[in-house]
Amino acid sequence: MSAILFPGQGSQKKGMGDSLFDEFPEITARADEILGYSIKKLCLEDPDNLLSQTDYTQPALYTVNALMWMQYHHTADAQNMGPDFTAGHSLGEYNALFAAGVFDFKTGLCLVKERGRLMALARGGAMAAVIGFPEDKIQHLLDVNNFTHLNMANYNSPLQIVLSGPAEDIEKAEPVFKAAGVQHFRRLNVSAAFHSPYMKDAAAVFASFAEKFTYNAPRIPVISNVTAAPYRKEEVKSLLAAQMTSPVRWTETIQYLIAQGVTDFREIGPGKVLTGLVRKIRTESPEKQKAPDAPSPVAKIQFLHSGAASAPGAIAPENLGSRAFREEYNLQYAYLAGAMFRGISGKELVIAMGNAGMMGHLGTGGMELSQIEAQLSDIKSELKDKAFGMNLPHHYYRPDTEEKIVDLYLKYGISHVEAAAYMQMSPALVRYRLTGLRREPDGRIIPAHRIMGKISRPEVAEAFLSPAPEPIVRKLLEQGKITREQAELSRRMPMADALCAEADSGGHTDAASAYAIFPAIGRLRDEMMQKYGYEKQI
């Protein structure tokens, strides 16, 4: 199997495109019309030294990548044997979508022109490539040195990761990383903290701009930088906007393609940056470091009890699932045990899960408050800072009981609950969600309490996917149970951080089918995120 890869910003160079502008005169003329200047003159001569400026770099590189793709695609070899997948690094993703027929050349260039303009306007940030340290070691250095405003923006290879954040923090981090023995800490020639939450304002403007265009379903799978998984038609607009604030998961993208059986990677664009990164990803992966003479990766996923993948090309269990989810919940594995009625998932299971790097939820349905507190106390004592959650069942006929449970969770500092049996949002649940809600200096909205909504019906999912109901928020504010700032911030975030699509529990789910409910809820999630413009993926 084969994959076409398109490079992003940084691969541009004077002279790129060469004779392609004359080979495709209509495309060149269309680009000149959209941009308002000669794309050929910019790429071949660059008389005003603009090629290195973001708002000129991005349209130029997109155009050259597109021309090189069209030249390749028109060859007999490509016509007889097109790629099985496409992917692009950052800006290159637009070329991957163009190659897959998601939009035409003109639409892609209009999008890229606006993207480059918005990114060029951003100021005050910086980026640096850290070469020679794996992700966990970089995160450790960030944590122990309190670099809370620095984010990992590009996962280029297991030992090449780009940091993004305020310029002063990048500057302070350089001597720390050098003292720790990093191979290279290289400042990048950019004007802002790309692929980080600091680009959220630009992403919001771009999301509105992207609404103007029509998008087709990909003719061949395109792997997203945001999810390291194939695009779906309904995700195009939201993922393109999210790409500006999310890290480029290039390592996971290549690992995904290898797992699908891709052995032939072809880079289309100026330079061979991505070709080199593919080679690094293959050689720097943990299994390659352990067995350098192992044969080429195979498209096989192995689940090993030991938690380590020893076969060549195997995907380790700790890499399954969403990396963002694992990081947010401080999990080694993306596995959760849900809560059941009357403590069926009791403290023993919750403790075992937490000690194994997973998350369990204490089943509190039908338990007295004293029983809940006793088990909660034991779990806290045993797990300390390890991840676990509590079940919060809706008490429709006894709202005072639900309020007392929330009081207990706030008292013990419980940061994660699984909300079950809700048909609508309750004052107790909203109070739990909004208590401790704050805005960071960089503008991010940070909840102190996370909610996983357990749902089996779309209308209930919609309630969890919406902001807290205004009447309940106003009442809590009048009662002094939340602050005015928390009331205002509540409009910009959903009630739930995650959803559990439940099917066929033999109870209120009416024997629903997971095959039907899961994709339906997934589509609804995407629609609601687009409707409200949430910062973070649910």
Side-chain angles (χ1 to χ4, degrees):
M1 300 183 78
S2 65
I4 297 293
L5 309 178
F6 295 95
Q9 195 165 341
S11 294
Q12 73 277 3
K13 60 182 178 180
K14 184 177 176 179
M16 66 179 185
D18 197 15
S19 62
L20 288 172
F21 300 104
D22 296 329
E23 187 176 338
F24 296 96
E26 290 184 9
I27 295 293
T28 302
R30 195 171 304 161
D32 292 349
E33 179 184 350
I34 294 169
L35 300 174
Y37 54 80
S38 170
I39 190 68
K40 178 180 177 180
K41 186 174 183 180
L42 172 66
C43 293
L44 299 185
E45 302 174 22
D46 192 21
D48 301 314
N49 296 315
L50 298 174
L51 195 54
S52 61
Q53 297 183 20
T54 296
D55 46 343
Y56 286 91
T57 302
Q58 295 196 17
L61 193 55
Y62 169 82
T63 301
V64 171
N65 283 351
L67 293 177
M68 293 180 72
W69 159 254
M70 287 187 285
Q71 183 188 54
Y72 167 79
H73 188 58
H74 288 167
T75 64
D77 180 55
Q79 289 173 354
N80 293 333
M81 221 170 120
D84 299 292
F85 298 89
T86 66
H89 191 285
S90 189
L91 168 74
E93 190 162 281
Y94 288 78
N95 290 106
L97 291 165
F98 165 62
V102 174
F103 45 65
D104 59 16
F105 172 81
K106 179 181 178 181
T107 297
L109 185 55
C110 289
L111 289 168
V112 167
K113 179 185 177 183
E114 179 67 1
R115 182 183 190 265
R117 184 187 73 83
L118 292 170
M119 292 176 72
L121 291 175
R123 289 289 183 271
M127 301 178 76
V130 179
I131 301 173
F133 277 2
E135 175 188 346
D136 57 350
K137 192 167 185 178
I138 293 174
Q139 189 61 59
H140 174 73
L141 285 173
L142 295 178
D143 291 342
V144 299
N145 291 282
N146 202 31
F147 289 127
T148 57
H149 300 307
L150 292 183
N151 301 274
M152 294 189 219
N154 293 3
Y155 296 89
N156 289 334
S157 79
L159 298 179
Q160 185 184 128
I161 294 173
V162 175
L163 297 179
S164 184
E168 58 270 23
D169 284 18
I170 291 288
E171 186 176 349
K172 291 176 184 176
E174 183 171 1
V176 171
F177 276 82
K178 287 183 175 178
V182 71
Q183 186 178 344
H184 294 291
F185 189 96
R186 186 176 300 151
R187 297 282 295 271
L188 304 184
N189 185 24
V190 295
S191 59
F194 300 151
H195 295 293
S196 79
Y198 294 93
M199 297 299 294
K200 67 181 182 64
D201 291 337
V205 175
F206 182 80
S208 298
F209 180 81
E211 287 287 341
K212 302 176 183 179
F213 302 95
T214 301
Y215 306 90
N216 306 313
R219 289 197 295 262
I220 52 179
V222 181
I223 311 305
S224 164
N225 285 182
V226 176
T227 63
Y231 265 89
R232 294 181 299 175
K233 179 184 177 181
E234 61 269 22
E235 294 178 321
V236 174
K237 286 180 282 190
S238 61
L239 286 179
L240 287 180
Q243 193 212 53
M244 297 176 72
T245 58
S246 302
V248 176
R249 302 191 181 282
W250 192 248
T251 299
E252 288 179 86
T253 294
I254 300 304
Q255 289 173 339
Y256 174 87
L257 291 171
I258 291 172
Q260 305 312 304
V262 174
T263 56
D264 178 19
F265 291 92
R266 182 186 294 268
E267 182 172 1
I268 291 185
K272 293 295 179 185
V273 172
L274 300 185
T275 302
L277 289 180
V278 170
R279 185 166 54 249
K280 287 179 179 293
I281 290 166
R282 282 173 159 162
T283 58
E284 292 173 359
S285 60
E287 62 269 16
K288 281 292 183 181
Q289 292 173 21
K290 293 175 184 176
D293 297 325
S296 300
V298 294
K300 184 176 181 181
I301 297 177
Q302 292 193 346
F303 299 84
L304 301 180
H305 179 68
S306 64
S310 58
I315 297 178
E318 58 266 30
N319 292 330
L320 293 171
S322 161
R323 181 202 297 266
F325 184 86
R326 298 196 308 269
E327 290 176 352
E328 182 173 352
Y329 291 89
N330 191 30
L331 304 176
Q332 184 177 359
Y333 305 97
Y335 286 89
L336 284 77
M340 295 293 285
F341 195 60
R342 296 191 185 279
I344 291 176
S345 57
K347 67 178 183 181
E348 293 82 5
L349 175 61
V350 175
I351 291 170
M353 292 284 288
N355 283 328
M358 307 176 192
M359 177 186 280
H361 299 80
L362 180 67
T364 63
M367 291 172 61
E368 296 296 330
L369 197 66
S370 59
Q371 294 176 291
I372 297 173
E373 184 167 16
Q375 293 211 28
L376 171 54
S377 179
D378 289 345
I379 293 168
K380 287 278 288 186
S381 175
E382 180 73 25
L383 290 182
K384 298 182 171 57
D385 294 330
K386 294 176 182 175
F388 75 95
M390 299 289 292
N391 182 231
L392 180 58
H394 185 33
H395 291 72
Y396 183 80
Y397 295 107
R398 294 189 298 159
D400 57 323
T401 298
E402 191 175 331
E403 291 284 353
K404 290 176 182 177
I405 294 174
V406 167
D407 288 338
L408 182 67
Y409 291 174
L410 294 177
K411 171 187 171 183
Y412 277 86
I414 300 303
S415 59
H416 178 73
V417 301
E418 181 189 67
Y422 283 85
M423 297 298 289
Q424 59 188 15
M425 301 299 97
S426 71
L429 187 64
V430 173
R431 177 164 68 93
Y432 175 82
R433 177 63 162 163
L434 301 188
T435 300
L437 184 64
R438 70 187 191 279
R439 187 197 297 275
E440 290 286 275
D442 59 15
R444 288 179 297 159
I445 300 174
I446 307 296
H449 304 113
R450 299 186 182 94
I451 293 175
M452 175 179 288
K454 198 172 184 181
I455 55 90
S456 58
R457 301 165 65 96
E459 62 269 28
V460 180
E462 187 168 348
F464 277 109
L465 293 167
S466 301
E470 285 284 354
I472 295 179
V473 173
R474 284 198 303 270
K475 187 75 171 178
L476 292 174
L477 183 60
E478 292 168 4
Q479 295 172 342
K481 294 181 178 179
I482 61 172
T483 67
R484 185 165 299 279
E485 181 188 28
Q486 288 163 355
E488 292 172 355
L489 293 178
S490 71
R491 301 189 185 100
R492 297 182 56 189
M493 60 177 293
M495 274 296 296
D497 302 277
L499 294 180
C500 170
E502 179 186 26
D504 198 15
S505 71
H508 59 279
T509 56
D510 300 322
S513 168
Y515 291 102
I517 191 172
F518 191 84
I521 299 302
R523 286 192 297 271
L524 177 62
R525 183 273 312 272
D526 296 340
E527 291 168 5
M528 296 293 283
M529 286 199 62
Q530 183 175 334
K531 176 180 178 180
Y532 290 105
Y534 296 136
E535 297 176 4
K536 190 171 70 67
Q537 179 85 345
I538 299 170

